Amino acid sequence: MKRTLRELYGAGILFFYFLKWPYFLGFIYLYNHGLNNNPILNALWFYCLFLIFKDFYMLLRKRDSTK
């Protein structure tokens, strides 16, 4: 059970590391071209938005700590 959870966690990290920007931008495009309102896809979009904000925050925090 622990191994399965670790593999799912690792797959989730890789999925959102590489696909957060394409999903974020692609969802906006699809939503403007007739995608129906889907709560699961909306939640994934907000999660990607949160991860993008977190990346910018960590980038700024790292930049400030090196000065």
Side-chain angles (χ1 to χ4, degrees), residues 2-13:
K2 284 185 179 182
R3 181 178 179 201
T4 304
L5 289 175
R6 281 187 293 185
E7 288 176 359
L8 286 174
Y9 180 70
I13 289 173

Side-chain angles (χ1 to χ4, degrees), residues 23-37:
Y23 183 81
F24 179 78
L25 298 174
F27 182 80
I28 294 171
Y29 175 78
L30 289 174
Y31 191 78
N32 288 330
H33 287 85
L35 178 70
N36 294 334
N37 194 9

Side-chain angles (χ1 to χ4, degrees), residues 5 20 26 30 32 34 51 54 56 58 60-62:
L5 289 175
K20 67 183 163 212
L30 289 174
N32 288 330
L51 291 174
K54 183 188 73 87
F56 282 127
M58 296 301 286
L60 293 174
R61 187 173 149 202
K62 184 178 179 182

Side-chain angles (χ1 to χ4, degrees), residues 38-62:
N38 186 332
I40 295 172
L41 294 179
N42 291 346
L44 281 174
W45 184 81
F46 280 112
Y47 186 63
C48 288
L49 178 66
F50 167 75
L51 291 174
I52 289 168
F53 280 144
K54 183 188 73 87
D55 287 344
F56 282 127
Y57 172 75
M58 296 301 286
L59 179 68
L60 293 174
R61 187 173 149 202
K62 184 178 179 182

